[in-house]
Amino acid sequence: MNYNTVRVDINMREYGRHLQKLVDYAVNIENKDERQKVAESIVHLMGILNPQLKNVTDYKQKLWDHLFIISEFKINVESPYPIPTEDTYRIKPEKLPYPQNSIRMKHYGKNVEALVAKASSMEDIDKKEAFTEIIGNFMKMAYKNWSNEEVSNDLIKEDMKIISGGELKISDEMNIENMTRNQQKRRFSNHNNNNNNRNRSNNNNNNRNRNNNNNKNRNNNNRKRY
């Protein structure tokens, strides 16, 4: 028995060993016209074997490129697309740059640092203070969600000073409770809605059971009468 472990490895396994043999056969065809026809038939068959490529842009070019790759770039045929070579095929893409900026306080996230930087660069004092108040609101809500505990305003004020490098200050006149209160209201409202739905469901079940019992009693009375 001929096991795959002792066979020659195939170049693209998604097409299978039989297609690899067809490509090897096409490589050795001496007649140019016949070799071209066989190559075109193989590309058509590859499209049937790998239909998901149809969702890819220029999927026909992909099929022709795969034909040359399977043949180890030995097949001598004409392609309607630029013919790849072993050198161009093995070029590795450049690594994507990964952001190296560290976040001082990760529980607030990078967006808070971006907002603080934007507020620090504002020249209009009134807009700067209003923006600082909004950021303080968000910071308190984010910290509460992260720690799941009550957060003091003094802690938020100190964190704002650290993140902004002393450029922004949360004054005592600023209200940084709005977002947290609204979040609590939404949670309380959702809790009440769930309770109301549960009570409504229980009432419906009780009414249904009461009606069933009444119907049973009525049926029993009718039987006794007859």
Side-chain angles (χ1 to χ4, degrees), residues 33-126:
D33 294 335
E34 183 181 354
R35 187 169 61 246
Q36 184 69 32
K37 289 180 181 179
V38 172
E40 291 173 359
S41 299
I42 292 174
V43 169
H44 179 71
L45 178 60
M46 290 166 66
I48 298 174
L49 294 174
N50 207 354
Q52 64 270 21
L53 278 179
K54 292 183 178 180
N55 299 326
V56 179
T57 306
D58 298 333
Y59 81 97
K60 288 187 177 180
Q61 183 176 356
K62 289 278 186 185
L63 294 175
W64 277 96
D65 289 348
H66 290 172
L67 172 66
F68 288 101
I69 293 169
I70 293 171
S71 71
E72 296 181 349
F73 308 96
K74 295 176 182 177
I75 190 167
N76 184 15
V77 293
E78 298 293 331
S79 171
Y81 307 98
I83 298 177
T85 63
E86 189 171 4
D87 294 334
T88 59
Y89 165 68
R90 296 187 183 279
I91 294 177
K92 293 183 178 181
E94 296 181 1
K95 291 184 178 181
L96 292 174
Y98 192 81
Q100 300 296 327
N101 298 332
S102 59
I103 305 174
R104 287 185 181 179
M105 299 182 179
K106 295 183 179 180
H107 48 278
Y108 292 125
K110 189 173 181 61
N111 289 334
V112 168
E113 287 194 353
L115 291 172
V116 169
K118 183 176 178 61
S120 300
S121 63
M122 287 182 174
E123 297 181 357
D124 190 309
I125 301 301
D126 293 336

Side-chain angles (χ1 to χ4, degrees), residues 130-193:
F131 205 25
T132 302
E133 183 175 351
I134 294 172
I135 298 172
N137 265 280
F138 182 78
M139 287 173 62
K140 184 162 187 176
M141 183 184 68
Y143 196 104
K144 193 173 190 312
N145 290 337
W146 173 73
S147 64
N148 201 23
E149 297 177 355
E150 290 298 326
V151 187
S152 67
N153 290 345
D154 292 335
L155 176 63
I156 302 300
K157 291 177 182 179
E158 187 63 27
D159 288 349
M160 174 68 81
K161 188 185 298 183
I162 294 172
I163 296 174
S164 66
E167 287 290 329
L168 301 181
K169 180 182 178 181
I170 298 177
S171 63
D172 295 335
E173 292 77 18
M174 292 181 182
N175 183 5
I176 58 173
E177 306 284 347
N178 288 335
M179 288 188 180
T180 306
R181 287 175 180 171
N182 290 337
Q183 188 181 43
Q184 290 174 344
K185 287 180 181 178
R186 283 195 297 270
R187 288 177 179 172
F188 182 74
S189 177
N190 291 335
H191 179 71
N192 285 341
N193 289 335

